[in-house]
Amino acid sequence: MKLRNIFFIALIAFITFILLIPTLLGSIGVIPPKDVRDIAKLYLYLTYNQYNRSLWAASPEAVTAIVWDYRGLDTLYETMVFYTAIIAALMLYSEILGYRDIVGGIGLSFIVKRGFSIVLLAIIAVGFSTILHGMLTPGGGFQGGAIVAVAPVIGIIVFSRRIFDYSKLSYKYLVALRSIALIGIVLTPLIPIIVTLGNAFIFQNQVKVLARFSYPSTIIDVPMGGSLTFLNTFEGIAVFTAFMLAFLILLYSEDLSKKPLEGEDIGY
Amino acid sequence: MQAGIGSLEDLAFILLGITSLTSVLFVILAVKSRDLLMAVIYSAVQSTLYSLLLFLLLAPDIVLVYVAVSVGLLPLLTIMLVKKVGRYET
């Protein structure tokens, strides 16, 4: 064994132990108390309290209630950051956006295509159930959108991107779908203000003492969390289309995708 | 009842320790590997162990997005990159 390898292993072991000892001794910071903290108690008490509806979110899942209701503005700006990142990535390839690829691929073998078709349905079903059950179970718009996004990305490789270029999931339709979803995300917090002509709060979900506007709290007999369902659905669609757009651009054949990147070697 | 909760907690912490130490092993393998495709697979295994860590820390929301991104999308992207730059590091 070379001296270099021994040194490498010793270094990794040293770093691991250096991190291990303070973790075991609890000296890298105050260990959080084992009992539930006050602010957590407050959220848990208010989120789905049928007997005190003054500040409730009508959602049994406290995490989604915090993410999209109590702290909704934070998530709105997170969505904005993601939106900007994807737009910036698309801008790099602005010359060839919407082009059909010049190489007509045929995809992988028949067995892979049939096998993946079955898995495709399962992935999409799991993703959409994560999105639509966001107010009942862990997960929500972003998680479900990321799960659904795996399906078309593998699909591009298995079926070749030719199928997507000629389908309703091509560039312009995806951009339109994404814009509709983002408009939905912006409008859902504003609808209370528009409907009541200013007598409501931004991001208002359920009825408050000062503002009487309320999204429906149940759909048939399932708790739906009012605006949370709409926001989760729109966020899911936005994330799914964003990932798919990014991968559609990245998986162009090199003959086409080199064109917009030419000139980098001379400094622009 | 109280003792039961305590031992469950200990079990969770022991599993946390084992999982994080195993993930260090896979990080070493990913760094050392000359075969870049194997390196991608090692790092996917490490990501799977990390998602188990997050699950043991009772953060199912993070697990759902972490699995999809780090085991689904990230290896795909890196495999694509490996295809362009060549499989073996010289």
Side-chain angles (χ1 to χ4, degrees), chain B residues 67-83:
Chain B
V67 166
V69 171
S70 74
V71 185
L73 297 173
L74 187 68
L76 210 80
L77 197 67
T78 27
I79 285 171
M80 228 170 66
L81 199 68
V82 166
K83 197 189 158 216

Side-chain angles (χ1 to χ4, degrees), chain A residues 34 38 43 62 64 72 88 115 135-136 155 204 228 268:
Chain A
K34 284 192 176 175
D38 285 345
Y43 280 127
T64 308
M135 64 290 180
L136 298 175
Q204 182 171 349
L228 304 184
Y268 62 88

Side-chain angles (χ1 to χ4, degrees), chain A residues 206-219:
Chain A
Q206 296 299 313
V207 61
K208 301 278 180 292
V209 177
L210 291 173
R212 306 306 300 170
F213 181 85
S214 176
Y215 278 103
S217 62
T218 53
I219 179 164

Side-chain angles (χ1 to χ4, degrees), chain A residues 5 8 12 16 34 61 63 130 138-139 142-143 146-147 149-150 153 157 243 247 250-252 254, chain B residues 9 13 21 24 27-28 31-32 34 60-65 68-69 72-74 76-77 80 84:
Chain A
N5 288 352
F8 179 74
I12 292 283
T16 311
K34 284 192 176 175
E61 230 261 297
V63 176
T130 311
F142 192 88
Q143 287 87 342
I147 293 171
V150 174
V153 170
I157 291 169
F243 273 121
F247 274 90
L250 286 172
L251 289 169
Y252 265 124
E254 222 164 58
Chain B
E9 212 176 81
F13 276 116
L21 284 178
V24 172
V27 171
I28 295 171
V31 172
K32 290 294 285 180
R34 293 273 172 203
D61 288 83
I62 313 292
V63 173
L64 282 170
V65 72
V69 171
L73 297 173
L74 187 68
L76 210 80
L77 197 67
M80 228 170 66
K84 299 216 176 197

Side-chain angles (χ1 to χ4, degrees), chain A residues 61 76 89 102 116 130 156 176 196 200 206 220 222 226 232 253:
Chain A
E61 230 261 297
L76 186 75
I102 41 179
F116 177 67
T130 311
I156 291 172
T196 60
Q206 296 299 313
I220 309 172
V222 183
N232 267 335
S253 66

